[in-house]
């Protein structure tokens, strides 16, 4: 699942690897409780998990858009490589006309900023309405432990830096050939973007689902979708979304990509749950 350029419908889709996120294995959770959680940690087989941090550039005759923007320089030197990947693809920040956020978390949105200025000076920022409502709600912020308030701070900066260029969207069509799909649980308004295929001779005949953080661990969670991470705001909803999305991907034959899986894959049924194979 390592190819970085694919063609879906009218879009050339470029995977931009921004960095690698690391966390202790103890961030794993399991819907079936502590014994199952310990089993998941044992199955991980290492004290730290490492997952890619990805975003995507979609180029068409109408211009260039992004899905997510990485962490930029906000999280230190291990991140921000999406910017050099854009440069290598011949894309400059001022050419980006639209950025679709899957959700308002730092590793997906902090790349929008150059300090307290916009890194993408001409871009409109499209945000799922339910996520924006949650992360700008003072009551929700107060109800969230201080250590987990990063999304609220990102939303505050987003409004301050981009102002009227922030646009909220409902589920459904976003652009020609792109639909917003609700995938709640990781955050209340967590959203995937379905890119329709087949409109061009050189395009894939399948659709692409860019599913954000529907899952983080491509070797563990497809086989046991009840495994989650502490970063899921609603863990039970995240499990239901993960199970439904994996099943839907199998039935529809979608190609899948995301914020934390490697490259482009296809979901298949396995002896236990599902598996993601290279596509």
């Amino acid at each position: 699942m390592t190819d970085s350029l694919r063609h879906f419908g009218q879009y050339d889709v470029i995977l931009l690897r921004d960095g690698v996120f690391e966390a202790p294995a103890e961030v794993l959770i399991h819907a079936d409780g502590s014994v199952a959680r310990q089993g998941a940690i044992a199955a991980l087989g290492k004290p730290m998990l490492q997952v890619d941090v990805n975003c995507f550039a979609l180029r068409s005759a109408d211009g260039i858009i992004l899905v997510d923007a990485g962490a930029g320089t906000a999280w230190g030197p291990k991140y921000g490589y999406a910017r050099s990947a854009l440069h290598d693809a011949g894309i400059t920040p001022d050419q980006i006309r639209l950025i679709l956020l899957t959700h308002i978390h730092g590793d997906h949105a902090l790349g929008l900023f150059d300090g307290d200025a916009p890194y993408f000076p001409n871009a409109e920022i499209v945000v799922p309405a339910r996520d924006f409502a949650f992360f700008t709600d003072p009551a929700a912020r107060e109800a969230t432990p201080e250590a987990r308030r990063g999304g609220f701070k990102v939303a505050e900066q987003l409004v301050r830096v981009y102002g009227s260029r922030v646009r909220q969207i409902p589920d459904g069509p976003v652009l020609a050939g792109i639909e917003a799909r609700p995938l709640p649980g990781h955050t209340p308004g967590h959203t995937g973007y379905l890119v329709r295929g087949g409109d061009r001779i050189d395009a894939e005949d399948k659709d692409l689902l860019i599913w954000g953080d529907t899952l983080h661990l491509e070797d563990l969670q497809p086989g046991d979708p009840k495994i989650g991470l502490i970063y899921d705001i609603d863990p039970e909803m995240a499990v239901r979304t993960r199970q439904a999305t994996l099943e839907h991907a199998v039935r529809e034959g979608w190609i899948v990509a995301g914020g934390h899986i490697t490259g482009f894959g296809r979901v298949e049924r396995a002896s236990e749950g599902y598996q993601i194979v290279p596509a």
Side-chain angles (χ1 to χ4, degrees):
M1 295 186 286
T2 57
D3 293 344
S4 61
L5 172 63
R6 302 290 285 268
H7 309 286
F8 296 90
Q10 62 187 278
Y11 299 99
D12 297 331
V13 180
I14 307 168
L15 187 152
L16 308 167
R17 188 169 178 264
D18 194 57
V20 176
F21 175 77
E22 297 183 326
E26 286 70 28
V27 301
L28 268 66
I29 58 177
H30 199 287
D32 289 342
S34 59
V35 174
R37 174 178 176 269
Q38 288 304 317
I41 291 172
L44 181 68
K46 50 189 176 183
M48 300 286 291
L49 61 86
Q50 296 92 20
V51 295
D52 289 350
V53 175
N54 301 320
C55 49
F56 301 85
L58 281 65
R59 181 159 34 193
S60 74
D62 294 326
I64 303 166
I65 66 175
L66 299 183
V67 176
D68 290 333
T73 58
W75 285 6
K78 292 184 178 180
Y79 301 90
Y81 292 98
R83 294 179 174 181
S84 56
L86 281 172
H87 179 270
D88 292 345
I91 300 170
T92 57
D94 61 297
Q95 291 178 290
I96 307 299
R97 64 186 180 92
L98 195 69
I99 300 171
L100 310 177
L101 291 184
T102 59
H103 61 296
I104 305 175
H105 273 173
D107 52 335
H108 299 259
L110 285 172
L112 296 171
F113 310 122
D114 182 10
D116 216 28
Y119 185 76
F120 301 98
N122 300 318
E124 181 182 35
I125 313 302
V126 170
V127 185
R130 282 189 299 272
D131 235 43
F132 189 83
F134 177 79
F135 284 111
T136 57
D137 181 357
R141 182 173 186 149
E142 285 303 312
T144 302
E146 179 66 38
R148 303 291 302 280
R149 292 182 183 176
F152 297 93
K153 297 173 184 176
V154 174
E156 187 177 73
Q157 187 174 8
L158 179 63
V159 171
R160 184 173 69 249
V161 173
Y162 282 89
S164 62
R165 287 193 281 144
V166 178
R167 175 163 60 94
Q168 302 176 56
I169 58 164
D171 306 328
V174 179
L175 295 166
I178 301 178
E179 300 171 16
R181 291 282 184 129
L183 301 173
H186 182 62
T187 65
H190 182 260
T191 295
Y193 294 98
L194 188 66
V195 183
R196 295 294 186 181
D199 293 339
R200 233 172 50 183
I201 292 175
D202 62 342
E204 306 272 354
D205 61 354
K206 298 295 185 181
D207 300 336
L208 168 69
L209 178 65
I210 301 175
W211 65 19
D213 287 11
T214 298
L215 60 76
H216 295 76
L217 303 171
E218 62 194 82
D219 294 330
L220 282 184
Q221 288 177 291
D224 184 357
K226 291 184 178 181
I227 297 172
L229 301 184
I230 62 172
Y231 312 115
D232 294 333
I233 290 177
D234 185 338
E236 293 181 0
M237 177 64 77
V239 168
R240 292 194 294 272
T241 292
R242 197 154 40 245
Q243 291 172 326
T245 305
L246 289 164
E247 178 60 26
H248 206 164
V250 170
R251 286 192 280 107
E252 297 294 332
W254 291 335
I255 307 299
V256 298
H260 302 294
I261 65 174
T262 302
F264 298 87
R266 189 185 305 276
V267 181
E268 297 180 346
R269 292 190 180 89
S271 56
E272 295 186 10
Y274 306 87
Q275 62 182 353
I276 301 175
V277 299

